[in-house]
Amino acid sequence: MISITVAVLASLGSLFILLAAVGILRMPDTYLRMAVTTKAATLGIGLILIAAAVYFHDLSTTTRVVAIIVFILLTAPVGAHLIGKASYIAGNKLWERSVMDDLKGKYRKTGRKVGAPRNMKESSDEDAG
Amino acid sequence: MEILLALMIGTLYAAGIYMILRRSLVKLIIGIILLGNGANLLIFLLGRIAKGHPPIIPEGAETFLEAYSDPLPQALILTAIVISFGLQSFAIILVKRAHKVVKTDDLDEMNATDEYS
Amino acid sequence: MTLNEFLYFIILPVLSLSILMVFFRFVKGPTISDRVVAVDLLVTIGIGVIAVYSILTHQHTFLDIALILALIGFLGTVAYSFYIQKRKNK
Amino acid sequence: MIEQLTIFPLLLQMALAILLMFSWSRISWQKNISIFGNILNMGVSVWLFITVWQNGTQTVQAGSWDAPFGITFAADTFSATLVLLTSFAGLAVSSFSSGSVIPARLKFGFFPIFHFLLLGLNGAFLTGDLFNLYVWFEIIIITSFVLLTIGGEKAQLEGAVKYFTLNILASIVFLTAIAVLYGLTGSLNMADLASKVAAVENRTLVQVNALLFLVGFGIKSAVFPLYFWLPASYHTPPSAVSAIFGGLLTKVGVYALMRVFTLIFEVDAFLENVLLAIAVLTLFSGAIGAIVQNNIRKVFSYLVICHIGYMIAGLGMMTQVALAGAIFYLIHDIVVKTNLFMVSGVIYKITATHSMRKLGGFYADYPKMSLLFAIPLFSLVGIPPLSGFWPKLSLVLAGWSTENYLLIGAILFSSFITLFVIVKLWGEVFWKTAGQLPKLRNFPYFQKLTWPRKAEMIIPIIFLSIISLYIGFGAENIQSLASRIAFELSDNQEYINAVLNK
Amino acid sequence: MKTIILRTASNYMLPLLLVFSVFILLRGHYLPGGGFVGGLIASIAFVLHAFANGLEDTKNLIKFHPGFLMPAGLGISFFSGLVPVLFTDKSFLTGTWYPHHLPVIGSLGTALFFDIGVYLVVVGVTLTIIFTISEST
Amino acid sequence: MKNRFLANILLTFIWVALTGSFAFANVVFGFFLSYFLLLVITRGSGRARYFRMVPKAISFFFFFLYELVKANLQVAWEMGTPKFYMTPGIVGVPLDIHSDNEITMLANLITLTPGTLSLDVSEDKKVLYVYSMYITNREDFVRGIKQGFEKRIKELYS
Amino acid sequence: MLTAILSGFIFSIFLIFAGKFLKGKLAVLSALVPFGLFVYFLSFIQRVSEGEVIRQNIEWVPSMGLNLNFTLDGLSLLFSLLITGIGFLVFAYTAAYLKGNDYLDRFYGYLGMFMGAMLGLVLSDNLLCMFIFWELTSISSFFLIGFNNTSEASRKSAILALAVTGSGGFLLLAGALLLGSVAGTYSLSEMMSLSGFISESPYYLVIVILVFGAAFTKSAQFPFHFWLPGAMKAPTPVSTYLHSATMVKAGVYLLLRFTPILGNQEVWNVTLITVGGITMFYAAFHTLFRTDLKGILAYSTISVLGVLVFLIGLGNEYALTAAAVYIIVHALYKATLFLITGIIDHETGTRNVTVLAGLRKVMWPVALAGFLAAVSSGGIPPTVGFLGKDLIYEATLDMDNWGMWLTILAIATNVLVLYAGFVAGIKPFMGELPEKFSKVHMPSVLMWVPPMILAFLGILVGIFPVLIDTTIVRPVVDAVGGEANLHLKIWHGFTEILGLSAITLVVGIGLYFILKPSEKWESRIAKLDFIAPKNITLFLSSLFRDFSNWWTRIFQNGFLRNYVSTIILFLVVIVGYSLLTQQNGFRIDFSSFDKMTYYEMIIMGIMFLSIIFVVVAKSRLTAVVAMGVVGYAICLMFVIYSAPDLAMTQFSIDTLTVILFVLVLSSLPKYLSISDYKMRIIDGILSLSFGLLITLIALEVLGEPVNKEISNYYADNAYVLAKGKNVVNVILVDFRGADTLIEISVLTVAALGVFSLLKLRLRREDRELKD
Ligand code: NA
Ligand code: NA
């Protein structure tokens, strides 16, 4: 019974991961690749991890699996958001068949958002030393 | 398996040296890092590798019940990795500072200290 | 077919294939963002591989590594995007 | 507690380093802690030396794990001697640094790092474990990097990039050698390795392994053709740093070579040829390198290389007489080279230049100081009976008995060139009338310093000069020490038994 | 790169990662982990926080210069090695154990304090390096 | 104060889960550990009301799961077929929620849902820029988000 | 005797501290030191002439066979008396000569040191001990020649002199050690009895060559003579003392000392006769072309040294006696001439013999001394010079085969020496006093008395040869192993020797009146300078310097990549040679390898490609990211091969490194691609061979049996003794805790380094290395 559950979960999980892989390979622009991969992979990994939890079938493993899933759910979207934003600022073009771009012109030519405050010293002002 | 790993280690050594032989500061550091990885893997390989048997004594047991992989090379590599990290961090900063002060990135232009004065 | 065989002959190959595809994207780029996305995904798949491997070898210890990967891999992504943005700002 | 005497120098230096870090940026505390600590360290080192001299090899099994399972620290006569010399040089440089290093550098951790370096040196001399030696090497390397770059001047950084890269390369080769050795024997304890390596059937691999160690340590000892990092960098940091580098850093490599090639590997015919060829070319390259330099610190740097050749020569010939000569030279060289770089520091403090072309007039202006400086200078040359003379006797003698005529030629040649170079330096720096040197504003000229700071610079030079003179005139004692070390190295059973508790 | 999203997430992740780092530290003697990895995770937590909130924020958070952790950690490790020398007649670094089994940690011994020292040093080192770099870029 | 206490309890719980031991001592240790850590790092944040949250959170979780699977299938279709049917674009979604926590949660959930990706939040926290693979028209898309995730998040935090 | 030797050194050290008091008139008191010693050595004449050998043995470095063994026999006594006697006069003379010089104390210090060294040299019975003093004479000579250290010419001469004599010193060292190891002792007196044994040793020739090298350089034999004229840059007392009377005779002393040990072999005699013969004539001939008084004296000194070597080479009874006498003769008249030259120089300000004339009118005692010395140098009876010259002819005529030619050579030399002596000792005083010297006055008593004493001694001994015959000369001949049956006589009757003397006299005096020293001659000979040994040596040394430059630049060329490739090439060559020349071929055991799994291959493949990608990447960030992938692949590898701790650490550190890179990358240089195609190929080949070497080594090691004794111990005891289950961690914190403690220290120092590197900014004036 456990074996079958594990097998099913793992299969589903790897399938979603495969999906993400195909996505990143096929999609025509950076944003699409990102949009496709984050979730598919997250779901896939979640399923595989659950499979492992089922397989080991003890409290400490389960809590660890839960922890990993929570971490991934927390970090994956944040990461995707960061790269997405960064690549938009870096000037990566949208796919030519895109229908709209509400962000167009929201960032200055220099790339920094209008009025955005400085954090970890974005510009590298080399001191003249 | 070992033969592939050995080739990989050779590749790391070769790539490391090749990068060090370039004229760019950044490549130099990357080369050093690759070499370090090669050396660590070499210790690992020559300490003999085993699959699926981490050197952790199972719960409830006082010693290993089945095969285990050699913990000593692992400990050595761990030490080596951490030390390399320290050195690499310093190297990265050194390069940054050197680049800033010497105002060139071409290693070939950094040869004033070898000239006679 | 035992569970182990199933994992070994079906699941791991699928994951490996995915890794190869993602790696191809990594090599191909074309932008640095694509590469970073690819690396991010590689790490994620790596977590899956480790999870499967831990079942294969009956070593739940390996899940701890998966945990670390999940936590820290993220930071790499943050750093890269930080850099991509910073470079643009220069 | 007393049983731990062997590692007292380590414990003390570690404690000092930590204490100094806690006194971050309180310079005057740091100076006092450092000097006082080093005096204490000298006491401990003398104590250790006497104990070893009277009772033979002392060991400490760290963590109470019997060798070869834990890490063993062992002080045989060789180690104890080097620890003793390190304590002399350390005390001298500590005081010299207090006087000469500018506050800006002192505020950025000069003293803690310096004590970490001393810790590393002592550790390298005392450890009985090969991987542990690697770790000690690394702390020596990193501290030397930091000391080399502290201040971040252009020349420092350019030199440091080379120093860094080549020393890292040495570490990698060392690590590679350790990997091979572990793969062959499964052990890291040097005494244990002695028998385990001998038992390895595949002698080719053993030889390959030995060569890897040779290259790794060779880079660190700055032998031909592996020395390039040294002339590129030794003249760039503050003189106090050059002093400890020039005196001790390359010697750790030599120590490691001597230890490894007497304890673990035997020097076969091929290795002997390689070592002797290296020795000849090192003597040659170092000597002629020194001739063409005009920066006094560069001159000394090349002489550092040149004189490593004597030690390698002794190792290559591998007779007890030769080893004794090499060790005598090692002892002499540590004291003298440290002293010479301090001398160059004082000269710099007085004139703000290191260039022989610009320097001059010391003899007329500072007669007593010149006389003092003459002691290390002419000790280096080995004007008999000063300290550099004695080891050459053993080395040439060993050369005759092993029929290495080319080597004798190289030894005499390099002695001659050393003589020539130092005499030329004497002419340029001390005799020649000084040209008009520009007066630098705000430069902390020696003349402007307060007397305690002057004393902090001059007393260590006097201190080491007295030791040099002792080595020269008390050569019998040093020779019997060197002979005893040579004997212990070639007949290592006592060391092995002490380490393995047999 | 100030984004609300990252900043908010980092506020959650910092305590999580820190707890996790201590967890990794304490169980190191029994399972994978230990002072190094623990320390690295802890420092990564702060680095993440610095990325999200700016360096000044993170520095204010820590309240003291992370460099202080280096001598402190070294001191703890060193002293835990000295304990057997000072209080028993054993060698330097000999594992000295409190005779009773303790909850959470298991056996309490110098090895644990040694590892805690390692942890602190690693945190101190990593943060010093990264903060210094951030300040001077 | 309360928040801090809650955070403390939450961390204690996580600790217990991580170590897998509910032994009294472990709980106490976990409590003091998280207390200490919070003491080190606290700067005041969040104003979650944990107790009321729980039931809503559970229903929310299932809603999310549903969306996740649905979207994944959609993407799977896109991947599996040789032709591309997508009509991607970036849409600025005006926000009714204002707290950082809420916005973050919304943005993350959008990102986690296949086919969409939160790119940025405007400086004034009024607009969330979302990238999506399927945009038929702006209003439908914006409504979809506001009716779905945003509404539930608002309920969760109220 | 030790006290006698040390007194010179003690005197010098005393001057370091008390030098201030030695200024002015008190300086003359310092002459008491050599005087006391002279008297002390005189007191031994009786005992020594009776054949007694006085010994003193003090242990110094017995483990190297070096002890302070002193013996006083005839030879040593002769030299000791010269050293102290002439030393006494020179010390006194100096007080006036250098009156008012700021550095008079230093000068006396060096003189004292030299005297001590010289005494040590001639009194040592231990060869190594002798070597020490030998070197000390070179060094003190260096300081004395360079006494006028602000003059570049002085400095150069000092260095040249030290370079030549110093290199000879190293030959002596090598020879001494070889001789010592052949003979089994360093004691000269013990070696005498081993003479036969030594000359049969295969090393005999080497020893002789080395000893000759030392002696010829020290005693300025052709072609190593060229340092001596330059050494005349030294103040005249130095020229007198070192470069004519004592130090240059150290080589002669050495040869005499070794005559009973190494002599009586053909190679010994022939070489010495040849070298001595060439030197004596070559140098004597050179005096014709000199106008500087000191130059003339320098060459005539070289000539006389040649004569002495020549005599030692002849080696017969006459020759050895002649040598002993000639040493005395030369010391007496040449010292006189030098001192006179010093007086002339001091009073007139010139040493140019073409302008000097008529000085007898202003300084008649000096003129008298000069005359006596010149006469003695010419070997005119009844001076002591006559005794010497006679014996030389006796010696050459005694040679069977070449006697005739050698005699002619000797006559020619003596003619020229006579000429030189007359030019130096008589010419400046003859003729009309030029106007510009009219204000020249008598020198101080301290200056003219010493040459006078020496000159009169020359006459005295000439008239009463018995004064030195049995007391000094015969013990010398005794000591060098000759049979001393000869008696010194001034009148032998009308023999052919007398005829030869007469010829010498007539031709010499004729030459003096015919030839006038002139600058024209001097400049003419200067055209031949390019083949002079000095210039050839200087040319060779400049070639050597160019070579040094070239060699140093070739290796220390400033290019880091060249350094790295040299090192790697060296490693690949020696390790590769050792690996590829092994007898049994490679022992790679493929069967012992596990089966590969596909996922391992995929990880390896990805890692491999990433490495390639790192190498070929065109942008910095891409390379860094690819390096990250390499790290992650390694991490997975660690997982697969059962190293969870490593995997964790590798992953964390890899990420941190990436962060570091990213933080500093924008301030790092853009990627460069400057190496040309050829360079890349060469580097590629070198790198690949290095990588291949490592792979081969790894594979071969894997075929070796495994020893797991230590790992097993860890596994067995990790929990039982160290109370931990993660064995890796137990090793880190317990079994090998020392490693870890240092490792965190490394980290700490690295952090401090980063901190100081980035935060510390030196103020301009704090920067070292402005030059
Ligand atoms: Na599709
Ligand atoms: Na998404």
Side-chain angles (χ1 to χ4, degrees), chain D residues 65 69 129 132 136 153 162 196 202 204 207 228 285 353-355 363 390 400 416 423 431 473 476 479, chain G residues 60-64 106 110 162-163 174 551 556 558 578 582 700 704 709 714 734 736 739 768 771:
Chain D
W65 301 107
F69 306 114
D129 184 287
N132 195 241
W136 290 116
E153 292 171 52
K162 287 163 189 163
K196 283 192 173 149
N202 189 336
T204 305
Q207 194 181 63
F228 312 111
S285 300
T353 180
H354 279 121
S355 163
Y363 197 42
W390 301 101
W400 287 124
F416 172 67
V423 158
W431 273 356
F473 289 92
E476 176 63 17
Q479 175 65 14
Chain G
W60 186 12
V61 190
S63 53
M64 287 183 173
R106 288 182 196 173
Y110 301 144
L162 184 59
W551 177 275
Q556 199 69 27
S578 157
Q582 61 180 305
E700 191 158 347
E704 294 296 305
E709 180 198 350
Y714 289 161
D734 201 331
R736 298 186 64 91
D739 281 350
E768 217 147 317
D771 46 320

Side-chain angles (χ1 to χ4, degrees), chain A residues 26-27, chain F residues 77-85:
Chain A
R26 277 199 68 196
M27 286 290 121
Chain F
W77 172 253
E78 185 73 59
M79 292 297 103
T81 53
K83 237 185 109 183
F84 286 138
Y85 301 100

Side-chain angles (χ1 to χ4, degrees), chain B:
Chain B
M1 197 58 244
E2 281 87 348
I3 193 158
L4 211 54
L5 195 52
L7 279 171
M8 188 62 52
I9 290 165
T11 312
L12 279 168
Y13 272 88
I17 287 295
Y18 183 81
M19 290 298 269
I20 289 179
L21 291 177
R22 301 303 90 213
R23 285 164 65 176
S24 146
L25 278 171
V26 184
K27 289 187 181 174
L28 177 78
I29 293 187
I30 291 177
I32 289 173
I33 295 177
L34 290 177
L35 271 181
N37 280 330
N40 290 340
L41 280 181
L42 187 68
I43 300 180
F44 195 56
L45 175 66
L46 296 189
R48 308 303 193 276
I49 50 179
K51 264 180 260 176
H53 301 290
I56 292 167
I57 300 170
E59 263 170 68
E62 290 212 328
T63 180
F64 288 98
L65 306 172
E66 48 180 356
Y68 59 92
S69 63
D70 189 346
L72 183 51
Q74 296 190 18
L76 302 185
I77 297 168
L78 221 128
T79 306
I81 289 180
V82 177
I83 287 178
S84 319
F85 170 68
L87 293 175
Q88 283 158 20
S89 326
F90 185 76
I92 294 172
I93 306 309
L94 176 65
V95 163
K96 172 188 154 76
R97 188 97 173 93
H99 173 241
K100 191 156 114 185
V101 172
V102 184
K103 297 193 176 63
T104 176
D105 16 330
D106 186 354
L107 280 168
D108 281 13
E109 287 170 31
M110 296 179 131
N111 45 19
T113 61
D114 277 329
E115 280 161 11
Y116 310 151
S117 59

Side-chain angles (χ1 to χ4, degrees), chain D residues 14 21 24 65 68-71 102 104-105 108 116 129 131-132 135-136 139 142-143 146 149 151 153 155 162 165-166 173 180 182-188 196 202 204-205 207-208 211 215 219 224-228 231-232 235-236 238-239 270 278 284-285 288-289 291-292 302 348 353-355 358 363-364 367-368 371 383-385 389-390 393-394 396-397 400 403 405 412-413 415-416 420 423-424 426-427 431-433 440-442 473 476 479, chain G residues 16 20 60-64 66 103 106 110 128 131-132 135-136 139 142-143 146 149-150 155 158-159 162-163 166-167 170 173-174 177-178 181 186 203 206 210 544-545 547-549 551-552 555-556 558 560 563-564 566-568 570-571 574-575 577-579 582 587 694 697 700-701 704-705 707-711 713-714 721-722 734-736 738-739 741-743 745-746 748-750 752-753 755-757 759-760 762 765-771:
Chain D
M14 182 104 195
M21 283 173 75
W24 190 261
W65 301 107
F69 306 114
I71 290 175
I102 53 167
R105 284 192 168 97
F108 277 83
F116 273 122
D129 184 287
F131 187 80
N132 195 241
V135 181
W136 290 116
I139 190 144
I142 187 74
T143 46
V146 178
T149 54
E153 292 171 52
K162 287 163 189 163
T165 310
L166 298 181
V173 176
V180 174
Y182 184 77
L184 285 174
T185 62
S187 181
L188 295 166
K196 283 192 173 149
N202 189 336
T204 305
L205 275 182
Q207 194 181 63
V208 163
L211 289 171
V215 174
I219 298 176
F224 183 91
L226 314 168
Y227 60 70
F228 312 111
H235 61 291
T236 62
S239 307
F270 176 67
I278 286 177
F284 183 74
S285 300
I288 67 177
I291 285 188
V292 297
Y302 273 99
Y348 184 80
T353 180
H354 279 121
S355 163
K358 299 180 193 163
Y363 197 42
K368 293 245 163 64
L371 212 58
I383 295 296
F389 162 68
W390 301 101
L393 289 182
S394 307
V396 172
L397 211 50
W400 287 124
E403 309 194 333
Y405 306 124
L412 297 180
F413 171 81
S415 305
F416 172 67
F420 180 79
V423 158
K424 188 180 105 177
W426 183 263
W431 273 356
K432 186 181 69 190
T433 321
L440 301 172
R441 246 173 7 107
N442 301 327
F473 289 92
E476 176 63 17
Q479 175 65 14
Chain G
I16 296 174
K20 287 191 196 76
W60 186 12
V61 190
S63 53
M64 287 183 173
L66 202 168
Y103 302 120
R106 288 182 196 173
Y110 301 144
L128 293 178
F131 169 76
I132 290 181
E135 288 290 270
L136 288 177
I139 277 292
F142 166 74
F143 283 106
N149 55 47
T150 49
R155 293 198 301 271
I159 293 176
L162 184 59
S167 59
F170 288 114
L173 175 63
L177 289 168
L178 183 57
S181 58
Y186 290 113
Y203 292 111
V206 184
L210 292 169
F544 173 69
R545 207 193 149 82
F547 172 76
S548 306
N549 253 313
W551 177 275
T552 307
F555 284 99
Q556 199 69 27
L560 176 61
Y563 301 165
V564 174
T566 311
I567 290 173
I568 296 299
F570 177 73
L571 192 154
I574 63 163
V575 176
Y577 173 83
S578 157
L579 195 65
Q582 61 180 305
R587 301 196 211 165
I694 299 290
I697 294 174
E700 191 158 347
V701 172
E704 294 296 305
N707 184 335
K708 290 286 174 206
E709 180 198 350
I710 291 173
S711 309
Y713 178 87
Y714 289 161
L721 296 177
D734 201 331
F735 289 118
R736 298 186 64 91
D739 281 350
L741 190 59
I742 310 314
E743 171 197 344
S745 307
V746 172
T748 303
V749 177
L752 295 183
F755 188 71
S756 76
L757 207 49
K759 295 263 168 151
L760 173 57
L762 292 186
E765 61 271 16
D766 285 343
R767 295 200 175 146
E768 217 147 317
L769 269 178
K770 273 165 295 289
D771 46 320

Side-chain angles (χ1 to χ4, degrees), chain D residues 12 28 42 94 183-184 189 200 204-205 209 233 256 265 290 354 364 384-385 402-403 452 468 472 492 495:
Chain D
L12 183 62
S28 56
M42 196 170 75
S94 179
L184 285 174
N189 184 292
V200 172
T204 305
L205 275 182
N209 200 191
S233 61
F265 300 103
H354 279 121
T402 54
E403 309 194 333
S468 279
N492 49 34
Y495 180 88

